[in-house]
Amino acid sequence: MNETINNTDSGGTPCANAATPLRLQLGHISDLASNIGSMIDVIDMAICDIDDSRQRNAMATVCDVVMDKMDDLKKQINAVREELR
């Protein structure tokens, strides 16, 4: 018997505090994206030690693509944050 008897939810717009957990979650996701970006920077620096230029170029290209994707992710996170304001 898990029936809700005195439900006062009118189905309207949620209060501003309801978005707070989502804002915190977006903050954690953004921090994670920044951490991943920092790790890619480290990989990019280590690439300089690869002797084979083809391998070095391939790895550098992959790092650039991943960083571009991370930038896109951060932009999307910021867009969602703006929607929550």
Side-chain angles (χ1 to χ4, degrees), residues 8-67:
T8 58
D9 183 13
S10 63
T13 306
C15 67
N17 290 337
T20 300
L22 186 55
R23 284 188 187 113
L24 290 173
Q25 189 175 10
L26 287 172
H28 292 301
I29 293 168
S30 182
D31 289 345
L32 180 60
S34 293
N35 287 339
I36 292 169
S38 295
M39 290 180 226
I40 295 298
D41 287 339
V42 170
I43 293 169
D44 196 38
M45 286 187 279
I47 289 170
C48 295
D49 290 336
I50 297 174
D51 292 330
D52 185 314
S53 65
R54 288 185 341 187
Q55 289 177 352
R56 187 173 51 244
N57 290 338
M59 291 297 294
T61 299
V62 169
C63 286
D64 289 343
V65 170
V66 171
M67 288 303 286

